[in-house]
Amino acid sequence: MSGEVVTSTPSTHRTLRFTLVTIGLIVALVITCIVSITSGQYSLSPTDLIGVLLRGIGIDTAWAPASATDYGVIYNLRLPRLVLGLLVGAALAVSGVLMQAIFGNPLADAGVVGVSSGAALGAAASITFGIASLGMWTTPLFAFLGGLIAVLAVYFISRSGGRTEVVTLLLTGIAINAIAGAGMAFLTFLGTTSTREQIVFWQLGSLNGALWSNVALVAPLVAIGIVIALIVSPQLDLFALGERTARHLGVNVELLRMVVIVTVAILVCAAVAFAGIIGFAGLVVPHLMRMIIGPAHLPLMIASAVGGALLIAVADLVARTAVPLADMPIGMITSLVGGPFFLWLLVRTRRRSGGWA
């Protein structure tokens, strides 16, 4: 009896790995969300959560909490905070994938190269000077402009000869962060007590005080940014072969570059406008996902979006519950994780390239 021997191809392995990783991330995310909503200074049960969610869609069950306080804590405090955190995490992770693809450098991240600082400076300017001509869209618009200027500056300063050197990228990021920091300090000097508190809030990063109105503003921006990222993913795979090769394969490199830069600005402004500067989410998550499922951009975008949402959900849970009667800045939690990871990545990059260039 003869039989045909079928050998699995690498792409089959990667597809299976991507499927398993994505399912695992989604399961972990659901569990984290349930724990996050029911944990805290005011403890609730999972059945209370289910009852509130069912009541929200018009189904009244015995699980619905009788106390109006329980309903208010879940629906008005913890749920919008959690949803905003998921959106921010997905936005930062996908922006990290886009930046690393377009810069051709694994160290590119919105927080490291100053894009988040630029967006926060724009948002702080609108608050300090009392600009409200576009209503609730004013702060996100200024954050978008600040982030767009920052990412354009970083891109055109650090790129040379079709590549981005590590040293130039990091030094450009240091300069952009320094300029944005000086601007924030100047706005702090000019502002009132109220605006100073908001500027400090942006610098530390926090989901405290999230509202459904914030979610309603951020959600469409994040959705637009992720959809564009998914659409350009196949072209980014060709872009990774080199600009000249990508042109020969029919990619409009200049158009792709500008689309990605604007998309990064949209995603970062959506994340920064109401959560402040949360560093390293766009650095840690894409790298972990790339090591597990490979460099293809379409699965990498999807896995990073879910992974980023999970990272921020876990970080926010720790921020709310680690210290009793206190709400730690979420940016501090992500920096504790991302800082050592960034140093490890820096050392690995130096070893592989034989130097800092």
Side-chain angles (χ1 to χ4, degrees):
M1 179 179 177
S2 63
E4 185 180 357
V5 177
V6 178
T7 303
S8 299
T9 62
S11 61
T12 304
H13 283 304
R14 287 181 178 174
T15 302
L16 178 62
R17 200 176 300 169
F18 163 70
T19 305
L20 293 176
V21 167
T22 304
I23 293 174
L25 288 173
I26 292 174
V27 171
L29 183 60
V30 171
I31 294 173
T32 304
C33 290
I34 295 173
V35 174
S36 179
I37 291 179
T38 56
S39 302
Q41 298 174 24
Y42 192 91
S43 296
L44 296 160
S45 68
T47 54
D48 292 333
L49 171 61
I50 296 173
V52 170
L53 294 178
L54 291 176
R55 180 182 287 180
I57 58 175
I59 303 174
D60 218 350
T61 66
W63 286 345
S67 169
T69 304
D70 292 356
Y71 186 85
V73 168
I74 292 176
Y75 193 77
N76 296 324
L77 294 180
R78 292 182 185 172
L79 207 50
R81 176 173 179 151
L82 177 65
V83 175
L84 183 63
L86 300 182
L87 293 170
V88 168
L92 290 175
V94 172
S95 72
V97 177
L98 289 172
M99 290 192 71
Q100 288 154 25
I102 204 69
F103 279 87
N105 194 302
L107 299 177
D109 168 64
V112 174
V113 302
V115 179
S116 294
S117 298
L121 178 62
S126 72
I127 295 294
T128 302
F129 297 119
I131 303 172
S133 54
L134 296 176
M136 63 181 182
W137 286 96
T138 303
T139 300
L141 176 63
F142 273 74
F144 170 75
L145 293 176
L148 183 62
I149 292 171
V151 71
L152 284 172
V154 172
Y155 185 83
F156 287 112
I157 292 173
S158 63
R159 293 279 289 179
S160 176
R163 60 192 291 263
T164 308
E165 295 180 343
V166 173
V167 173
T168 310
L169 179 67
L170 296 182
L171 291 179
T172 306
I174 291 172
I176 297 293
N177 275 317
I179 294 170
M184 297 279 274
F186 182 65
L187 293 175
T188 304
F189 173 76
L190 291 179
T192 62
T193 302
S194 175
T195 59
R196 287 170 186 161
E197 290 178 354
Q198 293 184 55
I199 292 173
V200 172
F201 159 82
W202 265 304
Q203 290 174 324
L204 296 177
S206 176
L207 296 171
N208 189 19
L211 303 171
W212 283 116
S213 57
N214 303 150
V215 175
L217 271 176
V218 171
L221 294 175
V222 175
I224 291 171
I226 291 178
V227 168
I228 294 175
L230 295 176
I231 291 172
V232 301
S233 289
Q235 297 184 58
L236 291 177
D237 289 336
L238 301 178
F239 189 81
L241 302 174
E243 292 188 16
R244 181 175 298 177
T245 305
R247 283 195 182 93
H248 290 163
L249 293 172
V251 177
N252 188 335
V253 173
E254 285 71 25
L255 178 62
L256 175 65
R257 186 182 294 141
M258 293 313 300
V259 167
V260 169
I261 287 176
V262 172
T263 305
V264 167
I266 291 174
L267 290 170
V268 174
C269 92
V272 168
F274 298 105
I277 301 173
I278 299 176
F280 297 108
L283 185 72
V284 174
V285 176
H287 275 285
L288 289 178
M289 295 302 113
R290 193 178 289 113
M291 284 190 286
I292 298 173
I293 65 174
H297 283 91
L298 183 58
L300 187 59
M301 294 285 181
I302 298 171
S304 295
V306 182
L310 175 61
L311 174 66
I312 298 301
V314 172
D316 184 51
L317 176 62
V318 174
R320 284 198 305 110
T321 58
V323 179
L325 303 178
D327 196 338
M328 293 190 295
I330 193 171
M332 183 184 71
I333 307 293
T334 58
S335 295
L336 283 174
V337 177
F341 186 86
F342 178 71
L343 290 175
W344 170 78
L345 194 61
L346 206 57
V347 172
R348 193 184 73 154
T349 303
R350 182 182 63 175
R351 286 177 179 168
R352 286 189 171 183
S353 59
W356 290 115

